[in-house]
Amino acid sequence: MIDRLCQYMTRDVWYLGQNRTVRVARMMSLLWMLKSGRTLSAAEAAAELEVSPRTVLRDVETLSAAGVPVYCARGRSGGLRLAPEGRSDVLTEAEAQALLTVAAVPDEPDLTAALHKVAVPHPERGTGLLRRVLLDPGSWHDEQPPLLDALQHALLDGHRAQLLCHDRRTGGSTVRTVDPYGLVNAAGVWYLAARHRGRVRFFLVHRILDVTVIPEPVRVPASFDLALAWRQARATWRKTNPPMAADVQVRAEALARLHPGVLAGAAPPPDTTGWVRLTLSFHDARHALSTCVGMGPDLCVLAPAHLREAIVARHQAVVDLYS
């Protein structure tokens, strides 16, 4: 399935975090376009790669930051160029290392073979890099959503889909008829971008219980930018789910159970009773509640009051359930 995705879905699949197969393939295509010494405008490169000019400029920025000598020249005769030292048929060692570091995905044999051919000026060193650099977007326990393949087929075939979705608020399910626009893998978690009731929404694939493909064509607007739509959706979500901080005290022996991401700097030494007082930073209120509840009696929230009340209510619900 990944072969079809790489071939047909450059605009329809966007990987975040460490799973960058599609984006790396596009950046390698851009490099080969510039290898001959061509100067391309962002619009020309975007047309050939079937992405937006903004996406091309982001790729150029990424390549430049990784050490690949590609730059954007200003003026009437300007455009995207590759510096003379980067125009040889074989990439430099620095370029090879940059691409291998970005693209080391050993589960993709075609990509690995391509990297061996075009990005390894010293085969023995390149092979060593491929064996020693691993970018894994998943966790120890993650599994591919069972309906992901059906969603990919609906997307590739350009058909509408009827989704049976779990409703987290009611515990039941809802049916939605959507126009699939794309898939996003954000740090190992899949989302379906689909138009529903006049606007593009992102559906968590793990919450989709069933998919029925409807043989009606879907026309994705040429102006649709999946990466831009994802960033806008995340920004909107953050406005309604702002980050929050909490003053807590934690038993010294339980500090190691806290994820490093919630700690703001090094923890101070414990007091005479064995407790450490510190401030934790959370993605949002839901993240704060799940983290603090998960620590059980080893963490006590001092502020804010509404988080304390939410924790008490959660524990009271558990007591009521078992009483």
Side-chain angles (χ1 to χ4, degrees), residues 260-284:
V262 304
L263 295 170
D271 60 22
T272 55
T273 63
W275 288 84
V276 178
R277 182 164 180 169
L278 40 76
T279 299
L280 303 181
S281 300
F282 300 103
H283 300 313
D284 54 29

Side-chain angles (χ1 to χ4, degrees), residues 135-243:
L135 303 181
D136 183 0
S139 65
W140 289 102
H141 307 291
D142 71 316
E143 296 180 358
Q144 177 172 299
L147 296 175
L148 181 60
D149 193 62
L151 293 171
Q152 289 173 342
H153 278 290
L155 193 62
L156 287 171
D157 295 336
H159 287 159
R160 307 190 78 194
Q162 188 178 76
L163 311 179
L164 180 66
C165 302
H166 171 71
D167 192 325
R168 188 178 57 202
R169 291 172 296 180
T170 65
S173 59
T174 57
V175 176
R176 295 182 173 90
T177 300
V178 302
D179 294 345
Y181 274 17
L183 285 164
V184 171
N185 185 309
V189 180
W190 284 97
Y191 296 84
L192 171 70
R195 190 171 187 84
H196 179 250
R197 294 183 177 177
R199 67 186 183 94
V200 176
R201 297 181 54 189
F202 287 87
F203 297 87
L204 187 60
V205 174
H206 275 294
R207 293 199 185 122
I208 299 176
L209 306 176
D210 193 22
V211 177
T212 301
V213 177
I214 303 174
E216 298 177 7
V218 172
R219 291 180 175 82
V220 181
S223 60
F224 178 70
D225 185 329
L226 181 58
L228 177 60
W230 171 256
R231 286 195 299 271
Q232 291 173 339
R234 289 187 65 181
T236 300
W237 185 88
R238 287 194 179 109
K239 288 181 180 179
T240 56
N241 299 270

